[in-house]
Amino acid sequence: MSQDLTLNQRFVLASRPTGAPTPENFRLEREALPDLEDGQVLLRTLYLSLDPYMRGRMSDAPSYAAPVEIDEVMTGGTVSRVQTSKHPKFREGDLVVGMTGWQTHCISDGSNLTPLPAGIPSPSMALGVLGMPGMTAYMGLTHIGQPKEGETLVVAAASGAVGSVVGQVGKIKGLKVVGIAGGPEKCRYVVEELGFDACVDHKSETFADDLAKACAQGIDIYFENVGGKVFDAVMPLLNARARIPVCGLIAGYNATDLPEGPDRFALLPRTLLTKRIRMQGFIVFDDFGDRHAEFFSAMVPWVRDGKIKFREDVVDGLERAPEAFIGLLQGHNFGKLVVKVSDA
Amino acid sequence: MSQDLTLNQRFVLASRPTGAPTPENFRLEREALPDLEDGQVLLRTLYLSLDPYMRGRMSDAPSYAAPVEIDEVMTGGTVSRVQTSKHPKFREGDLVVGMTGWQTHCISDGSNLTPLPAGIPSPSMALGVLGMPGMTAYMGLTHIGQPKEGETLVVAAASGAVGSVVGQVGKIKGLKVVGIAGGPEKCRYVVEELGFDACVDHKSETFADDLAKACAQGIDIYFENVGGKVFDAVMPLLNARARIPVCGLIAGYNATDLPEGPDRFALLPRTLLTKRIRMQGFIVFDDFGDRHAEFFSAMVPWVRDGKIKFREDVVDGLERAPEAFIGLLQGHNFGKLVVKVSDA
């Protein structure tokens, strides 16, 4: 039997990046996996999700989650098929969602694996519109954003995995929705395909003015996942009692030093005070992890009925994961970025 | 009858301050008040409240409330006695609370006047522990702070009108309460008289270290009314899921320019995200103005039974109001600052 060893390919963290990650921060390794023990399953990865939060895990600065250690497999959400099972709860052929990381195979004791949710048309959606990004969008908008019909919602990274869902849920809830995206192609998609009321190009020289014009009634909810210059343009437009759910700050993830002065630190607390704004960071599985049922019961029908559209940016082959991830942090992807690791 | 005109003395805003206010920004005027018309009352001010928010009203920068206009009476909360009434709802001798400003007398149509709340041992308390500052403390701590027994609460300006109540309510709710105040005398008062668990002197060179030592379990609620260096020391100590009610930022009220760089703007959003913190500005009468009954039913018994102690810093005579207000912004007061304008 042990002649029949499974060869696993995996990316480990080779070194911690300074600023933007480079291919040298990742190392592709091959290893023979041991035989399964009772209570274990052997998983074959179908899809690996690439998400901005992974940049944080590559650093050892204090954050909401422990860093990936050097020589450890890069963390990541996956959809996998059970190839062999010695676990009573899983059968060969089952599809499961887990955090099994950047690798082609994984031996698991079954903890932290969940069956692919019922009613999902295609497996990769469990990593996007019906997975962590979609749930981040839904929970942040509804529970922190607390939308009221007729209000103005601004969504950064509007064509991305989170932003695209935020805006479409916002439309369903009766909001005026203004997206922010990089470049005319993404902006056109956001308005014409996703149905936002407007979308402003943050690469334009007239970005701040364009945003102000698109938000003639000010901003009641700003869904923050970008930071940087985008937030600078949003801040003066915020209305009294605005809400700002914060699920990411991708513009700053590769920053090494603070920018030059003056020190604008005090501007944000002052804005929160004078406009009586609520700003709240959240991590969806930590803060809303017990609300999957609520999420699926709202979202699955919307997706099935075409009320929520989505777009995937599928990269073929695990070996391309580092390059795709580096591009993600620069906004090169268009839609939810997933790596197709093996055929179904 | 018109021989018997009442002489009013009042401070108007003579000019807008650049940086810290000076006595020249205020002008004392005398005016003869006209005869009362039907539906009006003539009020004689007993106590004028002096509060940090008034600095904001002296500027015409955008804020949550309209600025005081040049030559207009300075705004301010007061307790007054009805001297003459041609209004069916008020009788001569009644005590009322209102926003009648920095003046000895006022003619009012009765709108925005409320009777002195029942059960108040002395009139000036309606401007402090049982008035706007006390209600700011109570609502911000309970509704935004959402305290849970055993958590650590840090209170800036701990000996002041708001902070002293925040900390004492926190003790009643079972929190560990650490105050921050300026100088050993205030710190001693906060611990020995008000019953906080500890109080740290922000004027000490070892302030940040002292605060870290006093908050060995981190900070779960930071009640913000100061900003500046105090917040810089608080920020690294905040726990995951901390709450930060913001009712004031007195350290920055006199600022004219932004400090020198580097630009630390991004540090606060990053902290809110990685620690999943809720930070929320509020103005008590705008955001919780319909909750007076809840406030009085909790606070009046606590004050009457000595569970909530308070201290007033009473300045005698309206003419001293500008000097007292300028000192308030520098932390010279000790307890709730009120001006005694006339005898009861």
Side-chain angles (χ1 to χ4, degrees):
Chain A
M1 295 293 280
S2 46
Q3 308 302 95
D4 199 22
L5 287 175
T6 299
L7 191 71
N8 181 37
Q9 294 185 59
R10 60 183 201 169
F11 275 106
V12 300
L13 182 65
S15 56
R16 301 201 185 280
T18 308
T22 63
E24 291 68 40
N25 297 132
F26 307 90
R27 186 174 65 243
L28 185 62
E29 293 184 344
R30 286 175 175 75
E31 59 166 1
L33 292 178
D35 287 339
L36 277 197
E37 297 176 10
D38 281 344
Q40 291 184 329
V41 287
L42 172 64
L43 303 174
R44 178 167 54 82
T45 310
L46 305 187
Y47 289 98
L48 163 67
S49 179
L50 293 180
D51 302 279
Y53 76 84
M54 295 167 172
R55 175 63 186 85
R57 300 289 200 283
M58 298 177 75
S59 297
D60 52 5
S63 186
Y64 50 84
V68 175
E69 298 298 332
I70 297 291
D71 297 332
E72 196 182 9
V73 180
M74 276 293 297
T75 191
T78 54
V79 175
S80 304
R81 195 175 286 283
V82 175
Q83 182 158 309
T84 318
S85 177
K86 294 193 172 181
H87 191 295
K89 283 195 185 159
F90 298 94
R91 288 180 311 176
E92 213 178 292
D94 284 354
L95 287 171
V96 295
V97 181
M99 290 292 292
T100 65
W102 295 28
Q103 52 189 345
T104 58
H105 294 78
C106 177
I107 291 177
S108 165
D109 65 0
S111 62
N112 303 318
L113 293 182
T114 54
L116 195 74
I120 288 202
S122 84
S124 61
M125 289 171 61
L127 303 177
V129 65
L130 293 175
M132 185 272 286
M135 191 158 161
T136 297
Y138 181 87
M139 290 296 155
L141 178 63
T142 54
H143 290 284
I144 301 176
Q146 299 181 344
K148 287 179 269 301
E149 202 175 326
E151 288 189 325
T152 298
L153 163 68
V154 169
V155 187
S159 69
V162 176
S164 61
V165 176
V166 172
Q168 292 179 93
V169 173
K171 286 306 300 175
I172 292 170
K173 304 250 172 203
L175 305 178
K176 175 180 174 179
V177 179
V178 177
I180 298 171
E185 192 194 358
K186 288 181 180 174
C187 287
R188 202 159 39 235
Y189 167 75
V190 164
V191 172
E192 292 176 9
E193 297 295 319
L194 303 182
F196 287 33
D197 296 288
C199 191
V200 179
D201 182 356
H202 67 74
K203 293 181 175 172
S204 161
E205 283 184 8
T206 56
F207 166 56
D209 286 343
D210 296 345
L211 185 66
K213 274 176 206 146
C215 303
Q217 310 300 315
I219 299 173
D220 300 297
I221 307 173
Y222 172 57
F223 197 102
E224 171 68 297
N225 49 7
V226 170
K229 281 187 302 181
V230 170
F231 190 65
D232 293 348
V234 163
M235 199 163 62
L237 304 176
L238 291 163
N239 287 334
R241 299 198 197 195
R243 287 82 64 200
I244 309 177
V246 185
C247 76
L249 292 163
I250 193 170
Y253 287 173
N254 286 336
T256 49
D257 291 315
L258 293 171
E260 287 187 12
D263 181 4
R264 302 179 306 138
F265 186 91
L267 294 186
L268 180 54
R270 195 180 302 163
T271 300
L272 299 185
L273 172 62
T274 57
K275 295 183 173 173
R276 300 137 57 206
I277 289 170
R278 173 181 180 181
M279 186 166 184
Q280 184 170 348
F282 71 105
I283 307 297
V284 67
F285 290 159
D286 292 346
D287 295 320
F288 300 101
D290 56 345
R291 291 175 182 263
H292 276 94
E294 174 191 341
F295 170 64
F296 286 122
S297 71
M299 283 286 289
V300 170
W302 287 338
V303 170
R304 206 172 39 210
D305 300 348
K307 287 188 183 166
I308 300 266
K309 294 174 184 162
F310 64 100
R311 178 174 176 137
E312 289 180 344
D313 190 337
V314 183
V315 169
D316 218 356
L318 180 68
E319 67 282 3
R320 294 182 57 201
E323 163 204 339
F325 175 67
I326 290 165
L328 171 71
L329 295 175
Q330 296 163 349
H332 293 173
N333 62 306
F334 189 169
K336 171 65 189 111
L337 184 60
V338 291
V339 178
K340 187 178 176 191
V341 179
S342 70
D343 286 325
Chain B
M1 295 293 283
S2 46
Q3 308 302 94
D4 199 19
L5 288 176
T6 300
L7 192 70
N8 181 37
Q9 295 185 58
R10 61 183 201 168
F11 274 105
V12 300
L13 182 64
S15 57
R16 301 201 185 280
T18 308
T22 63
E24 291 68 39
N25 297 131
F26 307 90
R27 186 175 63 244
L28 185 62
E29 294 184 343
R30 286 177 175 74
E31 60 166 0
L33 292 178
D35 286 341
L36 277 196
E37 296 177 10
D38 281 343
Q40 291 184 329
V41 286
L42 173 64
L43 303 173
R44 178 167 54 83
T45 311
L46 304 187
Y47 289 98
L48 163 67
S49 180
L50 293 179
D51 301 280
Y53 76 84
M54 295 167 172
R55 176 63 185 84
R57 300 290 199 285
M58 298 176 76
S59 296
D60 52 7
S63 186
Y64 51 83
V68 175
E69 299 297 333
I70 298 291
D71 298 332
E72 197 182 10
V73 180
M74 277 294 296
T75 190
T78 54
V79 175
S80 304
R81 195 175 286 284
V82 175
Q83 182 160 310
T84 318
S85 177
K86 292 192 173 183
H87 190 295
K89 282 196 185 161
F90 299 94
R91 288 182 311 179
E92 211 178 293
D94 284 354
L95 286 171
V96 295
V97 181
M99 291 292 291
T100 65
W102 296 28
Q103 54 189 345
T104 59
H105 295 78
C106 177
I107 291 176
S108 165
D109 65 1
S111 63
N112 304 319
L113 294 182
T114 54
L116 195 74
I120 288 203
S122 83
S124 60
M125 289 170 62
L127 303 176
V129 65
L130 293 174
M132 185 272 285
M135 190 160 162
T136 296
Y138 181 87
M139 291 294 155
L141 179 62
T142 55
H143 291 283
I144 301 175
Q146 298 181 345
K148 286 178 269 303
E149 202 175 325
E151 289 188 325
T152 299
L153 163 68
V154 169
V155 187
S159 69
V162 175
S164 62
V165 175
V166 172
Q168 293 179 90
V169 173
K171 287 307 298 174
I172 292 170
K173 304 249 173 203
L175 305 178
K176 174 179 174 179
V177 180
V178 176
I180 298 171
E185 191 194 0
K186 287 181 180 175
C187 287
R188 201 159 39 234
Y189 166 77
V190 165
V191 173
E192 292 176 9
E193 298 295 318
L194 302 183
F196 287 32
D197 296 289
C199 191
V200 179
D201 183 355
H202 67 73
K203 294 182 176 172
S204 160
E205 284 182 8
T206 57
F207 165 57
D209 286 342
D210 297 344
L211 185 65
K213 275 177 205 146
C215 301
Q217 310 300 314
I219 300 173
D220 300 298
I221 307 172
Y222 172 57
F223 197 102
E224 172 68 297
N225 49 8
V226 168
K229 282 186 301 181
V230 170
F231 190 65
D232 293 347
V234 162
M235 199 163 61
L237 304 175
L238 290 164
N239 287 334
R241 299 198 197 196
R243 286 82 65 198
I244 309 177
V246 185
C247 76
L249 292 163
I250 192 170
Y253 287 174
N254 285 337
T256 49
D257 291 314
L258 292 171
E260 287 187 13
D263 180 4
R264 301 180 307 137
F265 186 89
L267 294 186
L268 180 54
R270 197 179 301 164
T271 301
L272 299 185
L273 172 62
T274 57
K275 296 183 174 175
R276 301 135 59 205
I277 289 169
R278 175 182 180 178
M279 186 165 184
Q280 184 171 347
F282 71 105
I283 308 297
V284 69
F285 289 159
D286 292 346
D287 295 319
F288 300 101
D290 55 346
R291 291 175 181 265
H292 276 93
E294 174 192 342
F295 170 64
F296 287 121
S297 72
M299 283 287 288
V300 171
W302 287 338
V303 170
R304 204 173 39 210
D305 300 347
K307 286 188 184 168
I308 300 265
K309 294 173 183 166
F310 65 100
R311 176 173 177 139
E312 289 179 344
D313 189 336
V314 183
V315 168
D316 219 355
L318 180 67
E319 67 282 1
R320 293 183 57 201
E323 163 204 339
F325 176 67
I326 291 165
L328 170 72
L329 295 176
Q330 297 164 348
H332 293 174
N333 62 305
F334 190 168
K336 172 66 190 108
L337 185 59
V338 291
V339 178
K340 188 179 175 192
V341 179
S342 70
D343 286 324

